[in-house]
């Protein structure tokens, strides 16, 4: 958690761009939220029914821990969709994105429930022992 699923029309995102997009999505999420990199997961699908593509070439759906403010969510969506557009050589209008708030208590990482936003340091210390 967070989990980002990037669905695209087959061949829209070159295989060589996927690792760059995944890295940039991870960087953006961590910079804006302070979450550890180990929490971020990015998956790529092609022509999947979920998240639906509708009129987009790419649809990014992110589930993030509840508690992020609106400005952070706007920055996440703006920066991540721009990163996809850049690396896939697409116009911004061809990319859709949605974020879903998920309570930390609904998610497990390493066999334990995730901490609330801002409580990661103590959780990580406990799990590095």
């Amino acid at each position: 958690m967070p989990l980002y699923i990037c669905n695209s029309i087959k061949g829209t995102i070159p295989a060589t761009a996927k690792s760059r997009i995944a890295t940039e999505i991870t960087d953006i999420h961590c910079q804006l939220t302070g979450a550890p990199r180990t929490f971020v997961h990015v998956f790529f699908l092609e022509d999947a029914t979920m998240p639906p593509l509708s009129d987009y070439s790419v649809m990014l759906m992110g589930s993030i821990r509840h508690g992020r403010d609106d400005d952070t969510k706007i920055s996440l969506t703006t920066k991540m969709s721009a990163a996809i557009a850049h690396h896939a050589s697409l116009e911004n209008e061809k990319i859709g994105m949605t974020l879903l708030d998920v309570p930390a208590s609904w998610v497990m990482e390493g066999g334990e429930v995730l901490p609330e936003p801002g409580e990661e340091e103590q959780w990580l210390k406990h799990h590095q022992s």
Side-chain angles (χ1 to χ4, degrees), residues 56-108:
Y56 299 110
S57 296
V58 176
M59 175 58 87
L60 181 64
M61 184 188 76
S63 60
I64 62 174
R65 285 181 291 163
H66 176 75
R68 308 297 185 194
D69 62 44
D70 288 345
D71 289 341
T72 299
K73 292 175 190 177
I74 290 167
S75 291
L76 286 168
T77 57
T78 302
K79 292 178 183 221
M80 288 181 184
S81 59
I84 294 169
H86 171 74
H87 293 296
S89 299
L90 292 170
E91 296 175 6
N92 283 338
E93 297 78 27
K94 293 292 184 183
I95 299 162
M97 183 169 175
T98 190
L99 290 175
L100 305 169
D101 285 329
V102 176
S105 63
W106 291 5
V107 182
M108 293 185 81

